[in-house]
Amino acid sequence: MRRPALLSAAFFAAGVFMAHRLDAPVWALWTGGLGLWVACLISGRSRCAWPGVLLLVLGAMRYESVMQGLPGDHVAHLAGGDRPVVLEGRVAEEPEWMEDGLRLRLAAERVTVGDTVFAVQGTVLLRFRRFRPDVDYGDRLTARLRLRRPHPPRNPGAFDYRAFLERKGIHAMGSVSRKEQIIGIRPGRGGWLWTNVVLPVRRGVRAGVACNLSGGPAGLLNGILLGEKRGVPDPVRTAFTRAGVNHVLAVSGLHVGLIAAVVFFALGAAGCGRKTTAWATICAVLLYAMVTGLPPSVVRASMMCAITIWGRLGNTQGEGLNSLGLAALLILIFRPQDLFDVGFQLSFSATGGILIFYRPVRSCLPGAGAGGIGHWVWAPLAVSLAAQVGTLPLVLTYFGLLSVVAILANLVVVPLMAAAVALGLLGVIVYQFSAPVASLLNGANWVVLKGAIQTAEWFAAPAWAAVEVRGPGSTVTALYLCAAFLILPETRSGPWGRRLVFAGLSLANLWVWSGVWQRPADLRMLVLDVGQGDGIFLRFPNGRTLLVDSGLRAPNVDMGERVLIPFLKAEGINRIDAVVASHPHSDHIGGFVTLLERVEVGWYLDAGQFYDSWTARRIRTLIREKGVRYATIEAGDRLVGLGDVDALVLHPTPDYVSRHGPAPLGLNNGSVVIRLTYGGRAILLTGDIEHETDPDLLRWGDRLRAEVLKAAHHGSRTSSTAAFLGAVRPDLVAVSCGVRNKFRHPSGEVIRRYEAMGISIYRTDENGAVEIRIDEEGIDARGWLEER
């Protein structure tokens, strides 16, 4: 085999993936592996299949050993209670400074609950808000706080923060918002290598960057040298993402290559021996990996660099893909959970794309094989195209953004960032000997960094620069890879080419026909968890979509950005046929700002109630700018074009709405109320109506009846009166409210009223998003957290 390490890594990774998806016990993995071996033995292929089967099983077992259930004395078992505990432990990493405090990882040792002391193990992520205690790596910290488990995703398409932290070995969190919560801090020391080598180098880099650099350029340079992305301003990050050059913000092979080159050539020029130079270079790149926090991209680049240097020591010519496979195998042996890290996937797919597709792409461009000035244009372009071929499915899956200008932007930004990295490293080194000279270097680097930022902003400025798209899914990704590998001459000719064509045609048929088979035949409603607010998505049997309300937008939160956009991307929705604003309070219309800015909307409907706020004014402006059709609705109107669904507006009447001043009975009572009927069953959406609307609504008689009720005003005691519920007679109620909200919604009195009537209750604060489906068989409801 030409690439045994690559094939071994593939089998090992397949075992890790299998264990992750199946969550099978160890005995089942061994049994499955034995069964595969027996099948290979019977087929006469045991000799070539046995190593693969063994690696498959070893990969699965390694993942299970790392991600197995928590031991009985783990600190996470004491998390989740409302009672504060006293936590004591050792600071396990350098604290990360933030604008309003800091956060750190604490290796827990003892937890005191009441009068009982528990010896524990495990890591806790601590966040200090509004102040920064004088604490450092290795110190011992004791604090009184509430421990909690990281939240799983509460909505479809949301980032799985719990899984992200668990892959890093963190299963509990805590927050300290007052200095009085800190009982004591005692100086201590951590590991010798980190205390005496890694942290001093890291702090020396920061000091060198801070010499004559600040603001966006300083944050950008710290980000690309140390991987501290939090210092990169949000506008800069957004511009780089839209321009398709976000990858340069990650510490990667470029940095490792520069460090290796500097050390290698400097020691060679100093007359050091071949072995000494090689070993010193390997140590330098491994030290840099530790300084950056061991992200997968740097670990991969450092390992490939070390493998290449080691091969040269033995006069062995390395093979790129085999080295890539060996690096992946070593990483997965020590950290199998990294397989599911976005950085790991992007780093290896980009490098693999360059190694596999560079030559075919370069041969298609002008001046293939020629030198001269043209080579310095076409070669980088080929590298950029090859990397994007490798990473495109992942970029679309994780970010849902296709940059139209990425190829051209990379040609300009990547060389600038390479120069910035070189100048930055040189400036950091010179700073240790002469701050004035380092200041001059940083001054030159400011020009380069500013040029890179402005170039990215220029490319990202047009509205068409980046297009939000749906993630491709596994079938389309496989189809894409089949087409991509047909680029290679050795694949295109021979049996592999025919197999890829056959597989591609089969996948294309599966993709096309699955869209026909899965055509929706039900009414689907999703009460999204938008905190203390409302956001209700509906997809009708004919495929039309409706969004009723959109959650809060405030200086520190935007439910449009946080919930709506990720949800729509996950659902593959790039157009909403209509939105309804029940009433213009910010917790109901705030998310519409981001939605209108980034998603095509057909109609904007509301009751026409006047309200003067920044959010309401911005929405009116966006409606005009985007050409969204606008209409007011009132009691008696019907929404049409929804297939077999009848959508009748029951409220408000004109008495509740004022188009030029305050609402006569308050904005809540002017909420739009809609009854949706499908298959003989009904859903009643009530906005924030209160008991003052009961007399008007009760006049609808039987047309107020509904099996599914969206609780009015988040379950407030001013709504859901006995008379109203007696007329609606719901079987199920969905309450949209925030976790531990300051209004204490829903009211205990209202919940008891629901329970007394035998109504099934779903709450977004307890169940996450609530999904309700109505079809010919009946009503099916479930909370999103139930599936997690």
Side-chain angles (χ1 to χ4, degrees):
M1 293 183 294
R2 285 185 59 199
R3 305 180 181 103
L6 180 65
L7 194 60
S8 299
F11 276 107
F12 195 88
V16 171
F17 181 78
M18 181 180 68
H20 174 74
R21 294 301 297 267
L22 297 180
D23 195 22
V26 174
W27 66 265
L29 299 175
W30 273 114
T31 303
L34 182 61
L36 283 173
W37 180 78
V38 171
C40 294
L41 185 66
I42 294 173
S43 66
R45 297 178 177 271
S46 59
R47 181 180 175 186
C48 61
W50 169 244
V53 172
L54 178 62
L55 285 166
L56 191 77
V57 175
L58 289 176
M61 293 187 65
R62 177 57 182 152
Y63 179 78
E64 286 296 328
S65 69
V66 172
M67 302 300 290
Q68 62 185 352
L70 302 177
D73 62 344
H74 199 281
V75 66
H77 295 306
L78 299 174
D82 292 330
R83 188 177 181 181
V85 302
V86 175
L87 173 67
E88 181 179 350
R90 179 179 58 82
V91 180
E93 67 170 9
E94 183 186 23
E96 181 181 356
W97 287 56
M98 307 173 73
E99 290 184 3
D100 60 341
L102 61 81
R103 67 179 181 182
L104 54 83
R105 290 196 302 170
L106 192 77
E109 297 174 350
R110 277 182 291 276
V111 173
T112 304
V113 182
D115 296 328
T116 307
V117 179
F118 297 91
V120 297
Q121 61 174 303
T123 303
V124 180
L125 180 64
L126 289 186
R127 172 73 188 273
F128 294 83
R129 301 179 184 276
R130 295 189 291 274
F131 75 101
R132 297 168 178 162
D134 185 13
V135 63
D136 203 351
Y137 169 69
D139 289 349
R140 308 190 69 80
L141 172 69
T142 305
R144 184 181 300 276
L145 46 78
R146 286 185 174 88
L147 286 174
R148 60 182 177 87
R149 295 292 301 274
H151 286 302
R154 304 181 64 86
N155 291 285
F159 176 64
D160 194 341
Y161 191 52
R162 170 178 285 186
F164 172 77
L165 290 180
E166 287 180 349
R167 287 197 296 269
K168 297 180 179 296
I170 299 172
H171 297 268
M173 302 174 65
S175 178
V176 179
S177 56
R178 302 188 312 275
K179 294 181 180 180
E180 294 76 20
Q181 291 179 249
I182 298 179
I183 296 174
I185 298 175
R186 289 179 293 161
R189 293 184 66 84
W192 181 89
L193 180 62
W194 286 87
T195 301
N196 297 284
V197 180
V198 175
L199 292 184
V201 171
R202 188 181 292 174
R203 288 163 182 169
V205 171
R206 291 198 197 101
V209 170
C211 181
N212 201 31
L213 272 181
S214 62
L220 184 56
L221 189 56
N222 273 322
I224 61 178
L225 291 182
L226 296 175
E228 298 176 347
K229 294 185 181 181
R230 190 170 293 274
V232 181
D234 288 338
V236 174
R237 196 194 306 268
T238 300
F240 275 63
T241 301
R242 285 180 53 80
V245 293
N246 193 45
H247 60 90
V248 301
L249 299 180
V251 184
S252 62
L254 170 66
H255 311 66
V256 174
L258 284 171
I259 288 175
V262 168
V263 175
F264 189 86
F265 290 113
L267 293 179
C272 295
R274 186 163 169 257
K275 288 187 176 181
T276 302
T277 300
W279 280 111
T281 305
I282 291 174
C283 291
V285 296
L286 293 180
L287 173 62
Y288 183 65
M290 288 188 288
V291 168
T292 57
L294 298 174
S297 59
V298 179
V299 174
R300 187 268 309 158
S302 301
M303 284 188 173
M304 291 187 70
C305 180
I307 291 168
T308 301
I309 295 173
W310 182 277
R312 289 193 174 185
L313 277 177
N315 295 318
T316 302
Q317 183 65 36
E319 204 279 334
L321 285 174
N322 204 48
S323 297
L324 184 68
L326 182 56
L329 182 60
L330 291 174
I331 291 175
L332 293 178
I333 288 174
F334 288 99
R335 301 192 315 204
Q337 66 273 25
D338 276 4
L339 181 65
F340 309 101
D341 184 271
V342 178
F344 176 94
Q345 296 174 18
L346 289 174
S347 176
F348 277 88
S349 60
T351 307
I354 293 170
L355 291 172
I356 295 172
F357 300 115
Y358 171 75
R359 290 184 182 276
V361 172
R362 180 70 183 91
S363 65
C364 298
L365 297 175
I373 297 177
H375 173 74
W376 298 101
V377 175
W378 300 118
L381 180 59
V383 170
S384 177
L385 284 170
Q388 290 185 54
V389 168
T391 60
L392 183 60
L394 294 174
V395 170
L396 297 183
T397 297
Y398 290 118
F399 306 109
L401 199 68
L402 178 62
S403 178
V404 179
V405 299
I407 295 175
L408 295 176
N410 272 274
L411 286 176
V412 182
V413 175
V414 170
L416 287 173
M417 295 305 294
V421 170
L423 279 171
L425 289 172
L426 183 60
V428 167
I429 295 171
V430 170
Y431 175 76
Q432 313 307 318
F433 308 99
S434 173
V437 177
S439 181
L440 291 175
L441 289 170
N442 280 350
N445 207 2
W446 182 90
V447 176
V448 177
L449 291 165
K450 199 68 175 177
I453 293 172
Q454 291 182 347
T455 300
E457 290 174 343
W458 184 82
F459 275 107
W464 48 264
V467 181
E468 297 198 36
V469 296
R470 175 186 181 181
S474 56
T475 303
V476 177
T477 299
L479 179 61
Y480 170 83
L481 293 176
C482 287
F485 277 105
L486 283 172
I487 296 175
L488 301 174
E490 59 267 32
T491 304
R492 192 166 55 246
S493 60
W496 275 109
R498 292 192 294 272
R499 292 170 187 170
L500 282 172
V501 170
F502 177 77
L505 291 174
S506 301
L507 290 167
N509 274 278
L510 178 63
W511 178 52
V512 171
W513 286 103
S514 64
V516 176
W517 296 332
Q518 297 176 3
R519 187 159 297 180
D522 57 8
L523 171 59
R524 181 190 181 208
M525 180 175 86
L526 205 71
V527 182
L528 297 168
D529 181 6
V530 291
Q532 187 61 21
D534 271 10
I536 304 164
F537 171 82
L538 296 112
R539 186 196 288 273
F540 299 97
N542 64 355
R544 293 287 180 87
T545 53
L546 175 70
L547 185 65
V548 180
D549 292 332
S550 57
L552 177 68
R553 181 186 177 106
N556 60 343
V557 63
D558 179 2
M559 288 300 172
E561 179 72 33
R562 180 183 297 181
V563 176
L564 295 185
I565 298 301
F567 165 71
L568 294 176
K569 285 183 178 179
E571 294 287 317
I573 298 170
N574 52 23
R575 184 181 191 276
I576 296 289
D577 293 299
V579 301
V580 175
S582 66
H583 65 292
H585 276 151
S586 61
D587 60 327
H588 288 253
I589 66 169
F592 284 142
V593 174
T594 298
L595 184 79
L596 290 168
E597 288 174 343
R598 297 175 55 179
V599 178
E600 181 184 354
V601 175
W603 286 87
Y604 188 96
L605 310 174
D606 64 16
Q609 173 62 51
F610 171 80
Y611 192 60
D612 188 24
S613 68
W614 178 90
T615 304
R617 292 193 299 271
R618 178 61 179 158
I619 288 174
R620 289 194 290 268
T621 300
L622 287 169
I623 289 172
R624 291 193 302 270
E625 291 178 350
K626 301 289 185 178
V628 178
R629 288 173 288 183
Y630 171 77
T632 60
I633 52 178
E634 62 181 31
D637 290 342
R638 270 190 164 87
L639 309 184
V640 297
L642 307 179
D644 297 327
V645 177
D646 177 61
L648 175 63
V649 180
L650 305 183
H651 193 74
T653 62
D655 295 337
Y656 289 85
V657 176
S658 171
R659 303 186 189 279
H660 307 289
L665 295 174
L667 289 176
N668 286 346
N669 285 320
S671 293
V672 174
V673 177
I674 302 176
R675 183 177 186 259
L676 303 162
T677 307
Y678 177 65
R681 298 173 178 86
I683 297 173
L684 189 65
L685 306 178
T686 56
D688 274 0
I689 57 169
E690 302 185 49
H691 62 83
E692 289 87 352
T693 65
D694 284 3
D696 285 289
L697 286 170
L698 292 175
R699 293 193 185 100
W700 287 99
D702 289 341
R703 284 184 286 184
L704 196 61
R705 170 82 174 94
E707 285 77 10
V708 178
L709 171 67
K710 198 289 295 182
H713 200 195
H714 320 291
S716 164
R717 64 182 180 83
T718 60
S719 306
S720 302
T721 64
F724 177 79
L725 292 177
V728 178
R729 304 193 305 279
D731 300 321
L732 180 154
V733 64
V735 185
S736 181
C737 57
V739 178
R740 297 189 184 92
N741 64 85
K742 64 180 180 180
F743 306 102
R744 298 185 179 180
H745 291 160
S747 163
E749 176 186 343
V750 170
I751 293 296
R752 289 190 292 272
R753 194 175 297 154
Y754 293 151
E755 293 172 341
M757 297 180 66
I759 302 171
S760 300
I761 304 170
Y762 288 83
R763 300 168 46 165
T764 58
D765 61 336
E766 295 180 352
N767 305 107
V770 179
E771 183 177 22
I772 299 168
R773 292 179 180 267
I774 298 179
D775 57 22
E776 58 186 14
E777 297 180 359
I779 301 174
D780 178 50
R782 57 184 174 178
W784 184 251
L785 292 182
E786 296 173 17
E787 302 180 3
R788 311 269 76 77

